[in-house]
Amino acid sequence: MAREFTRVGVVGLGTMGAGIVEVFARNGVDVTAVEISDAALERGRATLTGSTDRAVAKGKLAEAERDALLARVDFRVGLDALHDVDLVIEAVPEHLDLKQRIFAELDRVCKPEAILATNTSSLSVTEISVATTRPNQVIGIHFFNPAPVMKLVEVVRTVVTSADVVADVEALCERLGKVDVTISDRAGFIANALLFGYLNHAVGMFEARYATREDIDAAMKLGCGLPMGPLALMDLIGLDTAYEILDTMYRRGGRDRRHAPAPLLKQMVTAGLLGRKSGRGFYTYERPGSPKVVPDEYTPLAADAALADGARAIAKVGVVGSGTMATGIIEVFAKAGYEVISVTRGAEKSAKVCEAVKTSLNKGVVRGKLSETDRDDALGRITWSATLEHLADVDLVVEAVIEELSVKKALFASLDEICKPGVVLATTTSSLPVIDVAMATQRPADVVGLHFFNPAPIMPLVEIVQTIRTSAETSATARAVCAKLGKTGVVCGDRSGFIVNALLFPYLNDAVKMLEASYSTADDIDYAMKLGCGYPMGPFELLDVVGLDVSLAIQRELYLELREPGFAPAPLLEHLVTAGYLGRKSGRGFRDHTRR
């Protein structure tokens, strides 16, 4: 039988501590909420009151329930007030010496059977526990912010934490309506170990001026379905907090350079640019603590002004290819009012592409997203061909053939001979160097990457990839075309992975390494990222959907270009691909899909 926790203590009433107090009080548990001073106590009380008042205003909490919740909380100054609690959770700033001093004092104050827990997100629970005479009763209970909303709790056991303590805390999490994942004491645990490497990489990308803050954030939201872009998320977390977590993970986690805080991050923290809480971080906010972003000197020009900058007129578009991506791109351009010439390698392939486009458009009609007239007009704009020469008078060519450099270079050399001067030549490659394709022509200034995401008619993002030879006019034309298509175009340089894949796949690779090290299960890692970070899919779900062979190929490209040791493909990923376990398409990847 799990022990009954009738009263818990919470030390530290900042945003996280106040949220933890609310979680317990909402679930009928009496709470002693402790701060170091009257002023800090009142700030904590105000935070809790504000949160519960907002819940009432939104209809998520009745007034009587709010009043009962607040009545369960006893606000006190000083740790001595915790003498009779069954469990105490520490939620003070991420400084090891501070936490050790608090735990030493809690060890003195609390009754012998009390469990002492830390909400640390990155520090060693073991190092905290040794400040007490009861390390077997010390455990990590890592809530996620905002604690009343986020479902995940990471339960962190040390090598000496009692099994009974772990079981009692797991039962408590269930009582609180949380999903717990139980793990051992390792830097960053699950969620932060995977999240902060990705966030740090995004900061480095911005620092190198590879893409704007707006385009990096839009790319990850629209391309991956994430709730926030990485730089906006850093501002929400707090750049000082992010720096401390990364620095701790770097020192404790084997000094992986991916966790070494980006130099820009240290500079911003030193300058007091801490994110939302200071009113300025990667973005500028209306006031300290406000979520409202306001324009600053880095805010891009209005879209109309940017698009007016030398864009060429595009009326007729050629699409080369017969796969899923080519089919989707044909549909996108035709629905947007462009004349489209579809070129494939033979009449049979053209017939298949035509049928696929018709089927997709008909689905749009059935679902009420397209009228029959719009469908017929779109089909009427498409010409089906098996001859590249029919592209002689188009204004834009979009290549969507197989991801083999030799094939693309041969195609672009042919387009160079066939197409009229001034035509924009675009490749949809997701991993190959655009400059290699461009230099197969005599007009590299007219070549650009237009990386659509699959399925192209649905996904709102297009990565516009500029090489060092791409002209400003060509780039402006690409941006204007994306706008007319109703897509969000994000501009980046010609580097392996562009924005989305360069940030996404190292994160997925890190998850595979975590599984390979037997730190956690695929299910718990997926739970952690979905419930703790709001990701639409866990890393192993996503890998099985994308295909392990595709993921391995992209990761290899990133590693070969960047030569970053942390980007080396996980051996487990390579072994699974060698064994033919490629994900859903083969029936088995990280999970067995044949039994579902």
Side-chain angles (χ1 to χ4, degrees), residues 153-463:
V153 175
E154 289 177 321
V155 177
V156 186
R157 60 171 180 253
T158 74
V159 292
V160 296
T161 303
S162 164
D164 288 343
V165 168
V166 174
D168 290 342
V169 169
E170 288 173 337
L172 177 62
C173 289
E174 185 175 357
R175 176 184 170 184
L176 297 175
K178 302 295 186 183
V179 175
D180 69 273
V181 294
T182 300
I183 48 181
S184 57
D185 185 19
R186 194 180 93 165
F189 314 137
I190 296 176
N192 281 355
L194 296 180
L195 176 65
F196 277 85
Y198 150 70
L199 295 178
N200 198 41
H201 190 185
V203 175
M205 190 176 276
F206 174 69
E207 183 176 28
R209 300 186 181 181
Y210 177 68
T212 67
R213 62 191 181 183
E214 287 84 1
D215 282 355
I216 291 170
D217 280 353
M220 298 313 291
K221 288 172 63 180
L222 301 178
C224 297
L226 302 185
M228 294 183 76
L231 301 179
L233 180 55
M234 288 286 266
D235 276 359
L236 175 62
I237 292 168
L239 273 62
D240 51 344
T241 301
Y243 180 86
E244 290 292 340
I245 291 172
L246 281 164
D247 188 53
T248 300
M249 287 171 56
Y250 175 70
R251 288 185 285 104
R252 287 188 59 213
R255 298 190 178 273
D256 183 342
R257 287 209 304 267
R258 294 193 58 229
H259 292 144
L264 176 62
L265 192 56
K266 178 65 178 294
Q267 294 164 20
M268 294 177 74
V269 171
T270 303
L273 306 177
L274 307 182
R276 286 190 189 182
K277 59 187 172 186
S278 69
R280 183 155 185 176
F282 289 102
Y283 296 90
T284 300
Y285 299 88
E286 190 173 44
R287 62 183 180 278
S290 169
K292 184 178 179 181
V293 175
V294 296
D296 58 22
E297 64 268 34
Y298 300 109
T299 302
L301 295 172
D304 291 343
L307 297 179
D309 186 20
R312 301 173 194 168
I314 303 293
K316 186 179 289 188
V317 178
V319 180
V320 183
S322 57
T324 302
M325 185 57 74
T327 302
I329 292 170
I330 291 165
E331 179 182 337
V332 166
F333 276 98
K335 286 196 297 189
Y338 290 98
E339 287 186 61
V340 181
I341 299 177
S342 166
V343 179
T344 65
R345 292 182 300 167
E348 185 178 343
K349 285 188 179 292
S350 280
K352 286 184 177 179
V353 174
C354 178
E355 191 59 35
V357 171
K358 286 180 180 177
T359 299
S360 180
L361 290 171
N362 284 332
K363 285 180 180 177
V365 173
V366 170
R367 292 169 180 168
K369 296 181 178 180
L370 198 68
S371 70
E372 292 187 8
T373 300
D374 288 340
R375 174 198 62 195
D376 296 341
D377 288 347
L379 286 170
R381 296 186 192 103
I382 306 171
T383 302
W384 308 100
S385 172
T387 306
L388 285 175
E389 281 71 17
H390 288 161
L391 301 176
D393 65 341
V394 300
D395 306 307
L396 165 67
V397 178
V398 180
E399 163 274 310
V401 301
I402 191 170
E403 280 284 275
E404 289 185 12
L405 187 58
S406 60
V407 174
K408 292 182 186 287
K409 288 174 72 173
L411 172 60
F412 271 71
S414 297
L415 293 173
D416 190 31
E417 295 178 1
I418 293 166
C419 295
K420 65 187 181 183
V423 173
V424 173
L425 304 178
T427 173
T428 62
T429 183
S430 61
S431 59
L432 298 173
V434 177
I435 190 63
D436 283 358
V437 177
M439 295 309 292
T441 75
Q442 299 300 310
R443 49 174 110 179
D446 295 331
V447 178
V448 70
L450 284 180
H451 178 215
F452 289 79
F453 286 73
N454 193 29
I458 296 173
M459 294 297 282
L461 183 71
V462 179
E463 289 178 319

Side-chain angles (χ1 to χ4, degrees), residues 525-581:
I525 294 170
D526 278 355
Y527 280 137
M529 299 315 293
K530 289 194 294 183
L531 301 179
C533 299
Y535 282 24
M537 299 178 77
F540 297 106
E541 289 178 280
L542 184 55
L543 281 161
D544 276 1
V545 169
V546 171
L548 274 61
D549 51 341
V550 173
S551 303
L552 178 59
I554 292 172
Q555 192 62 35
R556 281 174 173 165
E557 288 291 332
L558 289 169
Y559 179 56
L560 286 172
E561 179 164 319
L562 301 175
R563 305 294 172 136
E564 174 61 58
F567 285 0
L572 176 59
L573 183 60
E574 294 184 318
H575 294 168
L576 288 169
V577 172
T578 302
Y581 294 170

